[in-house]
Amino acid sequence: MTNRLSVEDVSFSYGRKEVLDRISFTAENGIVALLGNNGAGKTTLMNVLTGLKRPQAGRMTLNGSDVLGANTYPIEQVGYLPQHFDVYPNITGYDFLSFVYDLKKGTRADKKKQIDELVERFHLQSVIHKNVRHYSGGFKRRLGIAQAVLGYPPLIIIDEPTVGLDPEQRIEFRKHLSDMSRESITLISTHIIEDVELFSDQIIVLKDRSIVFDGSVDEIIGMSRSNIHVVETTRERLPELAERVTVIEEKRIDHDTIRVKYIGGEAVEASEFDKEITLENAYVYLQKR
Amino acid sequence: MPTILFYVKVATKNALFVLTMLFVLFFTYNVYPSLQTAVNTFVSFYVFSMIGFHLFLITIATYVMQRNESDVLRYLERNPVKKQFQFLTASMIVSLAVALVPVTLMVLLTNELTSSAFLWKEIAHFVIIWLLSSLLAAVIGSSVSMLVKSKFAYVVSLVIYGLFVWMSFQLPTTPLHRYMNPFDNNMYLRPNHLSGVLWNVDYVFDKIFLLLIVVLLLSFVAFSVSVSSKGKWTGLVTFVVALVSLWLLPSFSPIAPVSSKADSTGADHVPYSIETYEMDVTLTNTLRNTATLTFHVTEPTEAVRLRLDDVFSIEEVEVNGEKVSFTHEDGILDLAVKRDVGEPLVVTVQYEGVVELIDSIGFSTYYVTKRAINLPGVYFDWYPTVESNDPIHFEVDVHSSAPLYSNLDSSEPGHWSGVATSVNVFAGQYESFHSDGVTFIIPTSVRPDAFIARFQSFVDETIKKGRFTERERSILEEKTYERVIVAIWPFQANEHLIEIVGDTMFVYYDE
């Protein structure tokens, strides 16, 4: 089944300080990456879309149903994993998943089967019957994903999923991301591009309270390609170059050679190198232009 | 229900609950011997165990409600009012489970003289106190933590709860004092610890008061945290209704304080005396009496004044078979009746009333129930009488389902007669035994050997204090009393703890 999310003109302010300005986008099944620097409004947008904050204006519909305007926010339709996943420490992971399942009003007949499936899928077997206080950061994150996916909701919202994880745990998370059901819309907000680069179907970039890009990975890269240049320079000459252009990537080739990607400024020597533009390059271009 | 069971796990799967249970068990072990006296004695000693358990409930309630600082829990448990109700239900389940410890001991170890019917009533009474006071503690903890979103909530909760604890250790001199004590309701009848009344109107008021406090707190929270206007209005209206009800309830308390025995009927000397006295008394949960007094008029009079407590409502008064008008206030029944010397004067008074009177410090004193009765006529005007020490001939028909004891002699079942200065009636779980030619009638919760030992010592002390009349001293020293009955009266009425009426001695004794 194809699910459809529509966010229309969502605005939010803290008092007089405007944080979100008429945010609008649509999404269907797949992974939607919401990118933006710290303070861009990603977490606020997540809070609004999960009903934890009430917007001053705007609407969110999921498969045609108004989510934000409902009497009771449909948590069975929207799974949520916040940046800080903190639950009752003296409860086992199984008890917590059982609790979440009941809150999402799942049927009793399917409860054990669903929970066992998720325990296996996210490799929680060794800890699921232990108290959550004994979980490592990685296991906590997996438990968090499992509770968000529980009930197989059409929309899953994940806020900064890899903050605080070590590189190995981040790689593991990306693997779980790819395992997530293709039958739901997974909206992930992050400022760590490499976490979503491989698997994102849609990229939304947030800057200065608004969306500055909404499209595919290929589109954002294509859009930025002609504006990103590559040159090699030395370590000694790098500072001088940086004064003339906006450097967006530095990559060490050998002891004294650095390949630099830059935007804007006075053109330097013509690039003779393949412009391997990454998503991160394109994202930085959007942020800095 | 599953989410409620989840909160039960959250509440109990921690070290604090284990420590609390150890404290409850320790305290139960220390006070269980009091079950040999009576269950209500055990319950009165058990208050510290209740307080310990309540401190646990307040702490865990504050902790659980403040977990909504966590984003995922705030998302999942997004209706704080609903969460509070679910947690309170979980608290009641935990409370009921913990109550099994003392209840089991009550069933196994209580005074074997307790009737099984009364035992289960007392267990029900304890469970009601336990659950209601636990609910109050959990509501205080959870409500405060929803309003005070910091660790300071623990302090505020404890201060509010502490107010109730403090009130429970004050003497219950007013209905408000009694109602504010969540650990007891002073419904037990001294000295009938094994047959005290449990469920009467004031008992219900006592419980309603605590429930209103619970409703008050919950509605205030609902008003404060609800985002919908409907929720806010519901909370506000409920809060106002609860507040007004709380303010009004104590003034409707049906329990009356003992009025001091009415001052003299207004004359140093009354121009009439009672020759004979007939009564037809029915004692159930009310006292209903038709009293017929035959007077001897010694001087011309234009009024007859009799003493009868204000707790009674007089239905009609007849003089020589004809209805007359009367006034009854401040314990005096006033009849405008003209009589000359020697003219016949027969007064019949028909009246009824609920006798549940407490003394100045809030403890039961005079009472009439189906199972327990304390009517010391020497102190309490429960029948129309005059101020006189002259003995009267009494003929009393009495109807009661409880075995009765009196200073009068029972010539046949349900009938007493004799010459005495007053009629005193008692009932409850009494037992009768003989010692040195004297019949002792004492409550079954009192140990006979302990009573005899104490009785002899304070008779001796009382004689030494020398505050008796010559006749009374003679009776005490020569032990010419034939009967000793345990009774209760206001302490200030007679600090000697002994009262002699004819050949009967009444002893104030309360364990």
Side-chain angles (χ1 to χ4, degrees):
Chain A
M1 175 190 165
T2 301
N3 299 294
R4 183 174 170 81
L5 170 69
S6 174
V7 175
E8 298 166 37
D9 294 326
V10 167
S11 297
F12 184 86
S13 304
Y14 286 112
R16 288 187 182 177
K17 183 184 174 192
E18 195 174 43
V19 179
L20 298 172
D21 180 23
R22 284 174 296 166
I23 302 294
S24 297
F25 65 90
T26 60
E28 292 185 353
N29 287 8
I31 293 175
V32 181
L34 178 69
L35 306 178
N37 290 344
N38 288 335
K42 300 190 303 297
T43 297
T44 302
L45 180 58
M46 297 291 104
N47 283 336
V48 169
L49 296 182
T50 52
L52 293 176
K53 284 185 165 56
R54 191 179 284 267
Q56 277 70 28
R59 201 165 174 257
M60 169 182 164
T61 59
L62 180 63
N63 294 331
S65 299
D66 186 353
V67 173
L68 298 183
N71 283 335
T72 309
Y73 188 92
I75 63 170
E76 65 278 4
Q77 298 288 311
V78 182
Y80 177 51
L81 175 60
Q83 182 175 346
H84 301 292
F85 180 70
D86 190 17
V87 297
Y88 301 103
N90 56 326
I91 292 297
T92 65
Y94 194 93
D95 284 337
F96 181 70
L97 289 178
S98 180
F99 172 61
V100 174
Y101 186 88
D102 294 325
L103 287 176
K104 291 186 178 184
K105 302 185 185 106
T107 59
R108 192 181 281 190
D110 293 334
K111 183 174 179 177
K112 186 175 187 312
K113 183 179 165 213
Q114 268 201 40
I115 293 175
D116 289 344
E117 266 175 17
L118 289 173
V119 167
E120 190 176 334
R121 181 167 155 187
F122 294 106
H123 308 297
L124 290 166
Q125 297 94 327
S126 60
V127 297
I128 195 61
H129 293 293
K130 292 183 182 174
N131 287 347
V132 173
R133 66 152 48 92
H134 299 302
Y135 285 23
S136 65
F139 276 122
K140 267 191 188 170
R141 191 63 55 170
R142 287 191 230 170
L143 181 66
I145 298 171
Q147 64 83 29
V149 174
L150 196 56
Y152 304 114
L155 173 64
I156 300 169
I157 296 177
I158 304 178
D159 189 13
E160 302 282 3
T162 61
V163 168
L165 299 184
D166 61 40
E168 204 173 316
Q169 290 168 335
R170 286 171 53 198
I171 291 170
E172 188 187 328
F173 169 77
R174 288 177 217 154
K175 185 175 175 306
H176 288 309
L177 200 61
S178 69
D179 290 341
M180 276 181 179
S181 171
R182 305 305 284 181
E183 293 189 3
S184 60
I185 304 167
T186 305
L187 178 63
I188 301 176
S189 86
T190 183
H191 65 278
I192 303 174
I193 310 302
E194 57 192 351
D195 287 340
V196 295
E197 183 168 13
L198 288 179
F199 307 109
S200 298
D201 301 294
Q202 181 178 350
I203 303 291
I204 297 172
V205 179
L206 210 57
K207 178 185 175 185
D208 294 334
R209 310 184 306 277
S210 302
I211 291 177
V212 295
F213 179 82
D214 180 2
S216 66
V217 174
D218 289 342
E219 283 172 356
I220 191 175
I221 290 175
M223 181 197 76
S224 60
R225 182 178 293 279
S226 59
N227 296 293
I228 297 175
H229 309 284
V230 184
V231 70
E232 283 189 357
T233 185
T234 64
R235 283 166 61 187
E236 290 75 23
R237 291 184 65 190
L238 180 59
E240 180 202 340
L241 179 64
E243 283 177 15
R244 289 159 56 191
V245 299
T246 302
V247 175
I248 64 172
E249 183 186 299
E250 299 165 5
K251 189 175 177 182
R252 183 168 177 266
I253 303 299
D254 56 42
H255 172 72
D256 199 37
T257 305
I258 298 173
R259 186 170 293 171
V260 175
K261 290 178 186 169
Y262 66 92
I263 59 174
E266 194 180 311
V268 293
E269 295 86 3
S271 162
E272 296 176 5
F273 309 100
D274 285 334
K275 272 200 280 190
E276 191 187 326
I277 306 299
T278 64
L279 175 59
E280 185 163 2
N281 297 151
Y283 167 74
V284 174
Y285 162 69
L286 280 174
Q287 292 294 331
K288 286 186 180 292
R289 70 173 181 175
Chain B
M1 190 60 186
T3 49
I4 292 170
L5 291 178
F6 174 78
Y7 289 124
V8 170
K9 285 185 183 177
V10 171
T12 56
K13 283 186 67 179
N14 55 76
L16 183 62
F17 180 71
V18 173
L19 281 172
T20 301
M21 283 308 300
L22 286 174
F23 175 80
V24 167
L25 289 170
F26 170 77
F27 208 83
T28 306
Y29 174 75
N30 274 280
V31 304
Y32 84 85
S34 61
L35 282 168
Q36 282 303 301
T37 302
V39 170
N40 60 78
T41 307
F42 171 85
V43 172
S44 63
F45 287 148
Y46 209 62
V47 61
F48 291 104
S49 184
M50 289 193 220
I51 291 172
F53 182 66
H54 295 163
L55 293 178
F56 157 76
L57 282 178
I58 288 171
T59 306
I60 204 71
T62 306
Y63 167 77
V64 168
M65 296 312 295
Q66 288 204 332
R67 289 304 292 180
N68 274 23
E69 291 164 9
S70 153
D71 288 335
V72 69
L73 291 178
R74 200 157 48 95
Y75 174 75
L76 293 168
E77 302 169 319
R78 55 179 53 230
N79 186 335
V81 174
K82 183 178 174 184
K83 177 182 177 179
Q84 184 183 30
F85 273 92
Q86 288 175 335
F87 175 75
L88 290 175
T89 307
S91 299
M92 290 299 97
I93 293 173
V94 174
S95 301
L96 199 57
V98 174
L100 287 177
V101 171
V103 166
T104 303
L105 289 183
M106 287 175 196
V107 171
L108 296 175
L109 298 177
T110 196
N111 187 328
E112 60 191 20
L113 296 171
T114 308
S115 70
S116 61
F118 189 66
L119 171 64
W120 287 109
K121 280 185 186 175
E122 290 208 280
I123 288 174
H125 166 66
F126 168 75
V127 170
I128 290 171
I129 285 180
W130 179 270
L131 287 180
L132 203 49
S133 58
S134 296
L135 176 65
L136 178 65
V139 165
I140 290 172
S142 59
S143 298
V144 170
S145 69
M146 289 166 78
L147 302 172
V148 180
K149 295 188 185 297
S150 71
K151 296 288 183 275
F152 194 58
Y154 290 97
V155 176
V156 175
S157 296
L158 290 173
V159 167
I160 294 174
Y161 177 73
L163 174 68
F164 289 92
V165 173
W166 177 74
M167 289 293 277
S168 71
F169 286 100
Q170 309 304 306
L171 288 174
T173 53
T174 65
L176 182 64
H177 268 122
R178 289 204 307 279
Y179 295 161
M180 284 284 286
N181 178 1
F183 307 115
D184 202 352
N185 51 23
N186 302 307
M187 285 292 109
Y188 287 102
L189 303 178
R190 305 173 304 151
N192 282 300
H193 295 291
L194 298 181
S195 58
V197 71
L198 291 175
W199 289 298
N200 56 15
V201 174
D202 198 63
Y203 179 91
V204 175
F205 275 31
D206 184 271
K207 301 313 167 199
I208 288 175
F209 187 87
L210 286 178
L211 283 172
L212 284 172
I213 291 180
V214 166
V215 168
L216 188 78
L217 290 170
L218 291 175
S219 60
F220 184 74
V221 167
F223 168 73
S224 302
V225 306
S226 285
V227 295
S228 68
S229 58
K230 180 183 172 188
K232 282 204 177 296
W233 272 112
T234 305
L236 180 63
V237 169
T238 309
F239 178 82
V240 170
V241 169
L243 191 62
V244 171
S245 302
L246 274 170
W247 179 59
L248 289 175
L249 193 69
S251 57
F252 286 98
S253 169
I255 295 289
V258 171
S259 49
S260 43
K261 219 164 156 45
D263 291 335
S264 80
T265 47
D268 294 332
H269 150 78
V270 290
Y272 40 78
S273 61
I274 302 174
E275 286 185 333
T276 62
Y277 206 129
E278 293 172 15
M279 286 195 232
D280 189 348
V281 183
T282 302
L283 301 166
T284 55
N285 285 329
T286 63
L287 184 157
R288 184 174 177 78
N289 191 13
T290 302
T292 302
L293 298 78
T294 304
F295 289 89
H296 173 60
V297 181
T298 56
E299 292 172 26
T301 182
E302 293 191 350
V304 172
R305 293 196 177 91
L306 301 172
R307 298 153 60 104
L308 180 66
D309 197 275
D310 287 336
V311 76
F312 299 107
S313 298
I314 299 175
E315 292 172 10
E316 70 176 29
V317 179
E318 289 181 357
V319 174
N320 295 347
E322 289 190 9
K323 285 188 188 174
V324 298
S325 59
F326 60 89
T327 61
H328 179 216
E329 56 187 10
D330 297 328
I332 300 293
L333 170 61
D334 213 320
L335 312 174
V337 174
K338 274 189 183 178
R339 279 294 176 275
D340 270 323
V341 176
E343 281 189 337
L345 177 61
V346 178
V347 176
T348 301
V349 182
Q350 206 168 308
Y351 63 96
E352 185 175 11
V354 174
V355 182
E356 288 180 353
L357 300 176
I358 57 175
D359 61 19
S360 59
I361 54 174
F363 294 110
S364 62
T365 307
Y366 309 134
Y367 49 85
V368 172
T369 75
K370 284 182 184 174
R371 292 174 56 87
I373 296 168
N374 188 66
L375 289 175
V378 61
Y379 294 112
F380 175 48
D381 296 329
W382 66 269
Y383 55 88
T385 187
V386 298
E387 185 75 35
S388 171
N389 286 327
D390 295 332
I392 303 168
H393 180 83
F394 287 96
E395 294 285 341
V396 181
D397 288 316
V398 61
H399 313 278
S400 171
S401 57
L404 300 174
Y405 302 91
S406 174
N407 57 305
L408 298 179
D409 294 316
S410 178
S411 53
E412 56 189 80
H415 185 84
W416 293 328
S417 63
V419 176
T421 55
S422 63
V423 180
N424 303 266
V425 183
F426 308 95
Q429 277 184 266
Y430 279 87
E431 61 177 334
S432 175
F433 66 92
H434 301 278
S435 176
D436 290 338
V438 175
T439 302
F440 289 86
I441 300 164
I442 68 174
T444 51
S445 59
V446 176
R447 288 171 300 138
D449 53 346
F451 176 80
I452 289 290
R454 188 180 166 190
F455 167 74
Q456 199 52 58
S457 64
F458 77 54
V459 167
D460 294 339
E461 283 169 25
T462 303
I463 292 173
K464 283 182 197 167
K465 284 176 186 169
R467 291 189 190 145
F468 287 99
T469 64
E470 281 298 320
R471 183 185 74 86
E472 289 168 340
R473 179 187 292 279
S474 165
I475 291 172
L476 288 171
E477 288 175 342
E478 295 169 22
K479 296 185 183 176
T480 53
Y481 45 85
E482 294 182 1
R483 211 171 359 220
V484 175
I485 302 178
V486 168
I488 290 288
W489 53 73
F491 187 73
Q492 62 272 23
N494 181 355
E495 60 187 30
H496 295 325
L497 309 181
I498 288 177
E499 182 70 42
I500 296 172
V501 178
D503 60 3
T504 302
M505 178 191 297
F506 297 107
V507 176
Y508 183 112
Y509 185 87
D510 187 23
E511 278 193 334

